[in-house]
Amino acid sequence: MRGTDWAAPPNPPGCIRVVVEGLDLVLRLTGEIDAATVGHYEAAAAAGGDPSAAAAARQVRVVDAGGVTFMNSLGVRFLLHQTEAVRASGLRPVLRRPTPAVRHVLRLTRLDELFEIQEV
């Protein structure tokens, strides 16, 4: 399965990419994860823009947030929604390399404990 970039035009401030690493689907977030970026991703996924987006909603176990420069409440909602199935199965999703911007918003909302933090 190939990954696809969903970024809000023009000059994408943020990007969401679904990639395969071994047996895991990984959600790679970069730049600004806000209404524009999330909205563009969700519209493309709803339109069937890439089958990896539909699979990601059910199977994302790892979120790589090492490139995030900004995340607002819509970004947090997106993060929770994308990892909901993993939590429902009794596991904690992995949040890989969260930047200070991600850590800050998750700490403020007290949602940081929902994730296994990986610094690697």
Side-chain angles (χ1 to χ4, degrees):
M1 183 178 333
R2 286 178 5 147
T4 300
D5 290 328
W6 286 280
N11 304 319
C15 182
I16 298 170
R17 183 170 174 82
V18 180
V19 297
V20 178
E21 289 182 6
L23 299 175
D24 290 325
L25 277 179
V26 177
L27 201 60
R28 276 207 190 121
L29 311 176
T30 56
E32 298 176 11
I33 306 304
D34 58 8
T37 305
V38 170
H40 192 77
Y41 173 87
E42 290 178 342
D50 188 314
S52 64
R58 296 188 308 273
Q59 302 174 21
V60 168
R61 166 110 171 83
V62 178
V63 177
D64 185 340
V68 175
T69 57
F70 173 80
M71 180 179 280
N72 66 9
S73 60
L74 283 175
V76 172
R77 180 192 62 85
F78 174 77
L79 187 62
L80 293 175
H81 176 73
Q82 291 296 310
T83 57
E84 184 176 10
V86 171
R87 282 191 309 283
S89 72
L91 300 172
R92 285 174 62 197
V94 173
L95 185 60
R96 186 185 297 158
R97 303 177 311 128
T99 61
V102 175
R103 286 181 181 277
H104 177 72
V105 73
L106 290 178
R107 220 177 289 128
L108 280 176
T109 57
R110 297 186 179 182
L111 297 172
D112 52 336
E113 294 179 9
L114 296 178
F115 297 91
E116 176 185 326
I117 306 295
Q118 233 180 40
E119 299 298 338
V120 179

